[in-house]
Amino acid sequence: MLKIVVMGTGYVGLVSGTCFAELGHDVVCVDKDKSKIDGLKLGTKVPIFEKDLDDLIKSNKSRGRLDFAVDISGVINNSDIVIIAVGTPLDAKGRTNFDYINQCVSEIVAHAKRDLHVIIKSTVPVGTCDSLQKRFNQESSYSIDVISNPEFLREGEAVQDFLLPDRVVIGSDLEDREVIDELYKELSDRGVEILYTNRVTAELIKYASNSFLAAKVAFINEIADLSERLGGDIEDVSHGMGLDKRIGRKFLNAGPGFGGSCFPKDTKALINTGDDHGVDLPLVRAISLSNEMRHKHIVQRIKKLVQSNDEISVLGLTYKAGTDDVRCSPAINVVRELCAQGFKVKVHDPKGIPKAKQELGDSVSYYDDLYEAVNETSVCVVATEWDDYKNLNPEKLANCMKKSNIYDLRKVINKEAFMKSGFKVMVVGYKSE
Ligand code: UDX
């Protein structure tokens, strides 16, 4: 059993900390946001919506293996490992902002009175962990070794992805692997491969993996555009491609584009790394560009269904189902473009409205009832694959709407049922009927 301090209680930090406690370690999750920590300590509020997380937090807190604090000073010197899991957002110029990372390093240097392992779980540009190692060597009189251990969890599946990952990647120049073997013993006992490499390679694996997954999504979205024009069946295309084991079926679902706090940011960060080192990455650049243009193509298709003074409803605002996160959400991009082109937009989302309001303000009308959101609108756009939208009632929708048009960006509605009810149905990757 190891004693662990986790700095940052976002998706990566809170899920990692809780799951390390579940794996048998003694964990304190630290965050400067006192309201977050109070909510976690009192059990009144978990700051993120993730399946199974609430129960795991409760059970590990009651077993005394998980606690929360607002700073590391009182906990760092009886811990074996400090995990940095704070955000690394892009700034206005699209470059990585290291402020939170640097703040963590300064706090560790200021408070550490013993040798430590510092694990970087935040996604940081290639080369960052080596530079952090140099900083610790210069600024701390204790032996602090920096280990890159990128996270591969998906929002909405975060707990499952952590407890049963495809692999654990460790970047370190540590001869002695004992502490990492102990940290991940439960997972390696379950047969999960622990890949040991150097820090630069571990960071590169993270960016290359995310950019490749983003490439699969951007690729199938472009094939979907072609399929719409040619009258193809995009689901059969994905299936037919995926039967080739070298391609694989996953991440070939056409949609409104990839979003979230990772794919958009990580593809841009990889391009920046190439630029910084004089290596052009035209394919990675194209992934980002292809995705960034997608919402304009979608709005062009919507405009074929409506007049300029028509109202439009958008169902689903989060960047995917199963999360409340709207960061870089394609749905939000579509809504913004519709507003920019002068349309009145009414929106619904089962979980994402509070965070969507921070992005869209009062530029749109928000509804808790999706049938109210579609009321009097001329087209209903299904932008996120929430279960709420998989059983939409065509008759009920037709009775609410001014015109019977529906545009399914996630291939979740019952197309035949809507056509039977007199709807004009558009589905991503299929020719308009
Ligand atoms: C991703 C990576 O999957 C994960 O390994 C990494 O740690 C963080 O980034 P996440 O962003 O949570 O995880 O979501 P993911 O499920 O990968 O989807 C990313 C985006 O791609 C979403 O907008 C999703 O809707 C879109 N997507 C994904 C598709 O449009 N089609 C697909 O087939 C898969």
Side-chain angles (χ1 to χ4, degrees):
M1 185 273 287
L2 294 167
K3 290 181 173 300
I4 303 169
V5 172
V6 179
M7 300 176 82
T9 59
Y11 284 94
V12 174
L14 186 56
V15 170
S16 307
T18 305
C19 289
F20 275 128
E22 181 66 12
L23 294 178
H25 300 298
D26 192 355
V27 180
V28 179
C29 290
V30 176
D31 198 296
K32 295 191 152 326
D33 181 336
K34 192 173 177 314
S35 63
K36 256 190 196 181
I37 293 299
D38 290 346
L40 286 160
K41 277 182 92 71
L42 299 171
T44 50
K45 185 172 179 347
V46 174
I48 58 173
F49 164 71
E50 271 298 336
K51 196 165 46 185
D52 304 332
L53 184 61
D54 286 24
D55 294 345
L56 279 181
I57 289 174
K58 281 195 193 86
S59 62
N60 283 287
K61 266 173 68 181
S62 59
R63 278 187 278 183
R65 289 206 302 233
L66 179 61
D67 198 358
F68 302 94
V70 288
D71 72 58
I72 61 170
S73 55
V75 290
I76 186 170
N77 288 310
N78 58 2
S79 67
D80 308 296
I81 293 176
V82 177
I83 296 177
I84 297 180
V86 290
T88 50
L90 296 185
D91 63 21
K93 298 195 197 75
R95 306 293 297 192
T96 302
N97 177 325
F98 291 95
D99 291 354
Y100 301 123
I101 293 275
N102 289 331
Q103 205 176 318
C104 290
V105 172
S106 303
E107 283 178 34
I108 293 168
V109 167
H111 295 295
K113 301 278 178 283
R114 60 181 292 181
D115 295 351
L116 273 174
H117 302 284
V118 171
I119 290 182
I120 310 295
K121 263 195 179 296
S122 302
T123 302
V124 289
V126 180
T128 302
C129 289
D130 279 352
S131 56
L132 295 182
Q133 182 64 74
K134 285 193 193 89
R135 217 186 123 185
F136 279 119
N137 294 346
Q138 286 156 3
E139 297 178 24
S140 174
S141 50
Y142 297 92
S143 160
I144 295 181
D145 64 83
V146 175
I147 297 165
S148 168
N149 175 208
E151 199 33 67
F152 297 96
L153 56 83
R154 292 164 298 165
E155 287 183 20
E157 312 290 338
V159 169
Q160 175 196 307
D161 283 351
F162 191 98
L163 292 176
L164 204 54
D166 289 340
R167 77 298 204 189
V168 171
V169 171
I170 299 293
S172 158
D173 48 19
L174 259 184
E175 293 309 314
D176 167 10
R177 295 178 174 178
E178 195 185 327
V179 69
I180 295 297
D181 288 343
E182 170 64 13
L183 180 66
Y184 283 107
K185 183 175 180 320
E186 275 294 302
L187 295 189
S188 47
D189 287 354
R190 292 177 198 166
V192 175
E193 180 175 342
I194 314 289
L195 165 62
Y196 281 92
T197 183
N198 60 52
R199 287 188 283 258
V200 163
T201 305
E203 292 163 329
L204 197 48
I205 289 170
K206 171 65 182 174
Y207 280 98
S209 299
N210 266 11
S211 299
F212 187 79
L213 290 167
K216 283 190 85 173
V217 176
F219 181 83
I220 200 64
N221 284 337
E222 290 194 3
I223 298 301
D225 293 349
L226 193 56
S227 175
E228 285 167 10
R229 195 60 60 86
L230 301 174
D233 180 320
I234 192 59
E235 283 172 293
D236 283 355
V237 170
S238 301
H239 184 64
M241 287 173 67
L243 289 172
D244 182 327
K245 290 186 180 55
R246 295 167 303 171
I247 298 174
R249 181 64 188 78
K250 291 184 177 172
F251 281 68
L252 282 179
N253 297 317
F258 59 77
S261 61
C262 299
F263 282 5
K265 172 172 75 78
D266 293 355
T267 43
K268 288 193 182 77
L270 193 57
I271 293 163
N272 292 338
T273 300
D275 290 346
D276 294 348
H277 295 79
V279 179
D280 191 19
L281 302 171
L283 181 60
V284 184
R285 208 178 287 280
I287 296 164
S288 198
L289 190 64
S290 170
N291 193 61
E292 280 172 355
M293 296 192 303
R294 188 149 186 75
H295 62 282
K296 291 189 185 297
H297 162 81
I298 287 164
V299 169
Q300 286 315 321
R301 274 193 102 187
I302 293 170
K303 286 174 72 174
K304 290 188 181 127
L305 299 171
V306 293
Q307 312 297 322
S308 55
N309 59 346
D310 279 337
E311 288 187 327
I312 297 169
S313 53
V314 176
L315 303 184
L317 298 170
T318 53
Y319 77 93
K320 65 172 186 174
T323 177
D324 60 352
D325 199 344
V326 296
R327 285 175 289 183
C328 299
S329 166
I332 296 277
N333 292 339
V334 168
V335 171
R336 280 205 176 102
E337 183 68 18
L338 287 169
C339 293
Q341 298 209 18
F343 290 100
K344 196 169 170 339
V345 182
K346 301 162 85 169
V347 299
H348 170 275
D349 187 289
K351 291 283 179 190
I353 285 183
K355 290 186 175 172
K357 281 183 175 171
Q358 294 168 25
E359 298 278 330
L360 296 169
D362 56 9
S363 63
V364 299
S365 311
Y366 303 90
Y367 294 85
D368 292 331
D369 179 320
L370 71 89
Y371 289 101
E372 283 177 25
V374 303
N375 193 37
E376 283 308 302
T377 59
S378 297
V379 60
C380 167
V381 181
V382 180
T384 308
E385 70 286 13
W386 286 106
D387 287 346
D388 303 53
Y389 311 138
K390 292 178 178 169
N391 306 305
L392 291 175
N393 180 324
E395 286 74 32
K396 202 170 168 191
L397 237 64
N399 292 338
C400 300
M401 293 176 70
K402 183 178 164 195
K403 294 178 190 166
S404 298
N405 295 310
I406 189 161
Y407 186 10
D408 181 3
L409 296 176
R410 294 287 191 166
K411 304 191 296 310
V412 289
I413 69 166
N414 180 335
K415 186 176 166 183
E416 288 63 37
F418 273 88
M419 288 174 72
K420 256 196 227 130
S421 301
F423 271 82
K424 178 169 179 47
V425 180
M426 279 200 318
V427 184
V428 66
Y430 292 86
K431 195 170 198 151
S432 309
E433 299 293 332

XYZ file of all heavy atoms in Angstrom, residues 177 226 354 431:
35
model
N 12.013 0.050 -10.247
C 10.611 0.141 -10.642
C 9.669 -0.270 -9.512
O 8.466 -0.356 -9.694
C 10.377 -0.765 -11.856
C 11.131 -0.285 -13.069
C 10.943 -1.195 -14.256
N 11.581 -0.616 -15.437
C 11.607 -1.239 -16.622
N 11.043 -2.430 -16.762
N 12.196 -0.682 -17.655
N -19.005 12.222 -48.201
C -19.002 11.637 -49.553
C -20.189 10.685 -49.704
O -20.906 10.693 -50.711
C -17.674 10.898 -49.769
C -17.324 10.464 -51.187
C -17.339 11.640 -52.145
C -15.970 9.752 -51.185
N -26.335 23.373 -17.465
C -25.605 24.332 -16.608
C -24.268 24.770 -17.224
O -23.946 25.950 -17.262
C -25.397 23.536 -15.312
C -26.528 22.557 -15.288
C -26.755 22.166 -16.725
N -27.745 10.106 -47.897
C -28.316 11.101 -48.812
C -29.663 11.546 -48.264
O -30.391 10.744 -47.680
C -28.505 10.433 -50.199
C -28.736 11.400 -51.339
C -28.653 10.655 -52.676
C -28.446 11.635 -53.832
N -27.717 11.009 -54.938
